[in-house]
């Protein structure tokens, strides 16, 4: 038991977020964020920092967990797939040498055999010196396994968004209405023209150590930028959200079946909501470094810019 705070050790390095009502979503940015609506959440504890490589390595050492990116793909799950794509691999951001068509994300995202949490930029890379950076290349099942090992859970989209706001409910960003107030970088995002020109004016061209940027009003770090974060909610497209949303206690709804990408009907891969944006979010392409922003992430896919943090709900809450 932690003597100073008289709370269980599992809550160390966590912050208590009080329950309340807030405005979820936005009517002023991307369609998938609509409609803005009032949501009520109960109080909960949430990790002060993103889960780091150091913490994930301890989990792997104690459990022997093998991440999805480290396993070969079952060809029965992907009939007709190129055999080369069935080897253990993950998706890595590979900036092109110059301007490319922004409508085709394959111009900068590549499926790299041998990329995983230990090798974040490919098989010849390592996490040496990155122990305090957020763990990446973790699929949803990996994040969930870690949370259960730690005696925690993953947040809902509403819980995450509420915590991200830090007690402020009227600002565009988690810290106010200016992206770089008085020239101060508040989060690890992309400076320059995405995806080829990374000026790294905030000091980090890729991930940054957890806690490198200012905390929000609740004392939480990296709720915006650095890496996207998994939530437990199934993703819904804009049209379905508009039809099913929203009440105070049912912020968006959703199901695994409805979460699959309608653009690939031959592959019905469920998608979960990720939140917060990442170091790859840029004004010219992805202004998703805001609490209301959301992204659909297939549960069978890990990438170099998606990580997670955990929560603990109060008994009888959540």
């Amino acid at each position: 038991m932690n003597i100073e705070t008289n709370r269980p050790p599992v809550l160390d390095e966590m912050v208590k977020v009080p329950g309340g009502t807030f405005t979820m979503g936005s009517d002023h940015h991307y369609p998938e964020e609509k409609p803005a609506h009032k949501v009520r959440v109960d109080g909960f504890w949430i990790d002060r920092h993103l889960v780091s490589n150091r913490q994930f390595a301890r989990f792997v050492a104690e459990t022997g967990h093998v991440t999805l990116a480290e396993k070969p793909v079952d060809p029965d799950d992907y009939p007709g797939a190129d055999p080369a794509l069935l080897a253990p691999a993950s998706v890595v951001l590979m900036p092109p040498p110059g301007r490319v068509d922004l409508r085709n994300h394959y111009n900068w995202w590549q499926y790299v055999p041998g990329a995983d949490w230990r090798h974040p930029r490919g098989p010849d890379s390592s996490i040496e010196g990155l122990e305090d950076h957020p763990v990446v290349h973790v699929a949803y099942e990996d994040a969930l396994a870690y949370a259960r090992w730690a005696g925690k859970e993953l947040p809902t989209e509403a819980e995450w968004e509420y915590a991200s706001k830090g007690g402020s409910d009227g600002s565009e960003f988690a810290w106010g209405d200016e992206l770089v107030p008085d020239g101060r970088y508040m989060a690890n995002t992309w400076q320059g023209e995405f995806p080829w020109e990374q000026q790294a004016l905030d000091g980090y061209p890729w991930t940054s150590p957890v806690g490198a940027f200012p905390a929000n009003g609740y004392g939480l770090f990296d709720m915006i930028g650095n890496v996207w974060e998994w939530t437990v909610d199934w993703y819904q497209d804009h049209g379905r959200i508009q039809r099913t949303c929203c009440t105070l206690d049912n912020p968006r709804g959703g199901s695994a079946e409805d979460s699959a990408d309608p653009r690939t009907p031959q592959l019905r891969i469920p998608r979960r909501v990720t939140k917060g944006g990442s170091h790859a979010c840029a004004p010219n392409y992805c202004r998703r470094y805001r609490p209301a922003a959301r992204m659909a992430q297939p549960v069978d896919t890990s990438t170099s810019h998606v990580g997670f943090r955990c929560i603990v709900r109060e008994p009888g809450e959540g």
Side-chain angles (χ1 to χ4, degrees):
M1 186 73 70
N2 184 312
I3 301 298
E4 181 181 352
T5 61
N6 195 35
R7 69 190 190 205
V10 72
L11 299 180
D12 285 349
E13 290 304 309
M14 300 189 83
V15 172
K16 178 63 184 292
V17 174
T21 300
F22 75 107
T23 303
M24 184 176 183
S26 171
D27 293 327
H28 307 295
H29 294 92
Y30 294 100
E32 68 270 14
E33 300 171 24
K34 298 179 179 180
H37 58 287
K38 290 293 183 180
V39 171
R40 180 173 53 226
V41 296
D42 293 324
F44 55 93
W45 294 82
I46 186 168
D47 288 343
R48 187 181 302 274
H49 299 288
L50 288 153
V51 174
S52 68
N53 285 314
R54 187 187 308 277
Q55 292 171 306
F56 199 79
R58 188 180 308 125
F59 156 65
V60 169
E62 291 189 16
T63 65
H65 181 83
V66 179
T67 63
L68 189 66
E70 298 172 278
K71 303 174 184 176
V73 177
D74 185 344
D76 292 339
D77 293 337
Y78 302 89
D82 181 348
L85 298 178
L86 302 179
S90 191
V91 179
V92 180
L93 176 64
M94 296 288 200
R99 291 187 177 93
V100 293
D101 183 354
L102 294 179
R103 294 169 297 182
N104 182 4
H105 63 269
Y106 293 110
N107 284 323
W108 56 88
W109 288 113
Q110 294 186 24
Y111 197 63
V112 179
D116 55 47
W117 74 272
R118 291 187 179 90
H119 309 93
R121 294 173 65 179
D124 295 328
S125 66
S126 78
I127 56 171
E128 183 177 356
L130 304 178
E131 291 84 358
D132 294 319
H133 285 233
V135 65
V136 292
H137 296 296
V138 282
Y140 180 79
E141 65 181 51
D142 304 316
L144 187 62
Y146 176 95
R148 289 172 173 168
W149 168 79
K152 304 178 182 182
E153 301 177 75
L154 297 178
T156 65
E157 180 180 4
E159 289 168 333
W160 191 99
E161 188 168 328
Y162 179 66
S164 178
K165 289 173 176 280
S168 174
D169 197 26
S171 303
E172 179 170 358
F173 304 108
W175 49 84
D177 292 318
E178 294 184 46
L179 178 60
V180 188
D182 299 321
R184 185 185 188 192
Y185 288 94
M186 304 297 288
N188 180 5
T189 59
W190 185 287
Q191 295 87 51
E193 186 178 336
F194 186 84
W196 67 279
E197 179 193 33
Q198 171 55 295
Q199 298 174 358
L201 300 178
D202 60 15
Y204 300 98
W206 296 87
T207 58
S208 52
V210 298
F213 292 85
N216 73 2
Y218 287 141
L220 303 172
F221 293 87
D222 293 308
M223 294 300 288
I224 297 297
N226 211 353
V227 297
W228 288 92
E229 303 184 32
W230 285 108
T231 75
V232 299
D233 283 17
W234 297 111
Y235 185 84
Q236 288 184 300
D237 63 31
H238 175 55
R240 187 171 293 275
I241 286 175
Q242 293 283 44
R243 293 192 297 273
T244 63
C245 197
C246 301
T247 68
L248 277 177
D249 299 306
N250 182 25
R252 291 197 188 275
S255 68
E257 182 180 358
D258 292 334
S259 71
D261 192 337
R263 296 171 299 180
T264 56
Q266 72 281 11
L267 290 175
R268 302 294 296 172
I269 305 300
R271 299 178 296 170
R272 303 268 184 178
V273 175
T274 55
K275 298 284 284 184
S278 77
H279 61 273
C281 285
N284 74 300
Y285 177 69
C286 175
R287 291 177 54 85
R288 290 184 171 86
Y289 32 65
R290 297 170 291 101
R294 57 207 303 267
M295 181 179 74
Q297 182 68 19
V299 297
D300 70 336
T301 304
S302 58
T303 80
S304 62
H305 76 329
V306 174
F308 69 102
R309 77 180 72 213
C310 305
I311 71 166
V312 171
R313 297 185 180 92
E314 294 286 355
E317 295 187 355

